[in-house]
Amino acid sequence: MLRQAVEAQGVCVELNARSAAIAGADAVTGLRLADGRVLPADIIVMACGVRPSSQLARAAGLAVDRGVVVDDGLATSDPDIFAIGECAEHRGTCYGIVAPAYEQARVLARRLAGEDARYEGSTVATNLKVSGVFVFSAGDIGPGGEDIVLADAGLGLYRRLVVRDGRLAGAVLYGDTADGPFYLDLITNRTPIADMRADLAFGPPVREAA
Ligand SMILES: Cc1cc2nc3c(=O)[nH]c(=O)nc-3n(C[C@H](O)[C@H](O)[C@H](O)COP(=O)(O)OP(=O)(O)OC[C@H]3O[C@@H](n4cnc5c(N)ncnc54)[C@H](O)[C@@H]3O)c2cc1C
């Protein structure tokens, strides 16, 4: 459904295509794929994630991997130095949006005030902001859970909820993403969903009206 909607806007989608080289001698002329095909191009835009600027931390002798490595107390390898935000790497993850940075800031503020607060990672929600195509994704949507799927191709609606150990672990919404924050709350708070499972796929408004 997403592919059809994006292609209807004139965007060509190549799935399972591994880029091998940029073609062109003096200027880019295309992108060569691993299967030998060349996609013609005047410009190539690469989305390659977050790369923290960590020279200062490295020069100071702090442990740096992808980012400045911090523990659950947001302390670096020097217990008197803390790191939060995009430069920090917590449990192997460098976050690239502001919400985790705010959560880290709250935890660190409480720790600096003497509380035993701990940061255990953030559940990241992604909203696709392509005009006319609404997609929301949050949590762990990989295989291995129990899927609750609601799909209506005619209306352009799809939602998949992933349940693990009686809790909502992840959610993908396509078409109507208004219930995204509701599902994100359930995921973040690890709310048991046994008593709401029967109509969970319909989101909060139907459940409250029932
Ligand atoms: C184009 C763009 C669009 C984005 N859109 C979104 C969005 O829609 N939603 C979202 O959630 N996030 C978005 N982000 C990501 C968001 O901006 C970052 O996650 C957030 O700014 C990270 O905050 P931070 O405080 O960790 O780092 P930064 O905001 O990068 O702040 C770090 C600061 O440290 C300063 N600094 C660096 N080195 C030194 C030094 N040696 N000495 C002193 N100061 C130094 C820098 O100048 C900078 O001011 C976007 C980012 C970009 C680039």
Side-chain angles (χ1 to χ4, degrees):
M1 288 164 87
L2 175 59
R3 179 179 189 161
Q4 282 171 0
V6 171
E7 287 183 338
Q9 297 192 20
V11 178
C12 172
V13 179
E14 295 283 351
L15 298 176
N16 300 317
R18 205 154 45 84
S19 49
I22 293 175
D26 302 318
V28 60
T29 56
L31 179 68
R32 188 180 308 282
L33 301 180
D35 63 11
R37 286 181 298 149
V38 176
L39 305 178
D42 298 320
I43 186 169
I44 293 180
V45 179
M46 288 183 273
C48 44
V50 175
R51 193 170 61 189
S53 168
S54 51
Q55 301 90 326
L56 182 65
R58 211 181 284 274
L62 302 182
V64 174
D65 193 1
R66 275 190 63 207
V68 183
V69 177
V70 295
D71 61 18
D72 288 2
L74 297 162
T76 64
S77 55
D78 181 328
D80 292 327
I81 301 177
F82 301 87
I84 60 170
E86 252 179 25
C87 70
E89 175 183 327
H90 175 261
R91 298 188 187 179
T93 299
C94 292
Y95 295 98
I97 52 177
V98 294
Y102 289 151
E103 291 173 21
Q104 292 169 355
R106 271 185 224 109
V107 169
L108 183 54
R110 289 173 58 198
R111 286 189 73 81
L112 295 178
E115 288 183 44
D116 184 28
R118 306 203 77 71
Y119 176 72
E120 296 185 338
S122 296
T123 302
V124 177
T126 306
N127 277 290
L128 184 62
K129 299 175 201 164
V130 178
S131 168
V133 182
F134 296 97
V135 184
F136 170 92
S137 163
D140 179 1
I141 55 170
E146 303 159 40
D147 284 0
I148 301 173
V149 178
L150 184 70
D152 187 330
L155 287 178
L157 297 174
Y158 173 90
R159 59 181 54 181
R160 179 164 72 92
L161 308 177
V162 181
V163 177
R164 292 180 211 278
D165 302 324
R167 291 176 165 79
L168 188 63
V172 183
L173 311 181
Y174 174 86
D176 179 358
T177 57
D179 293 338
F182 165 68
Y183 293 122
L184 182 60
D185 269 0
L186 294 179
I187 296 168
T188 306
N189 296 324
R190 296 187 44 74
T191 309
I193 51 108
D195 65 338
M196 61 177 88
R197 181 164 177 155
D199 47 8
L200 185 65
F202 300 103
V206 173
R207 288 179 50 246
E208 279 159 16

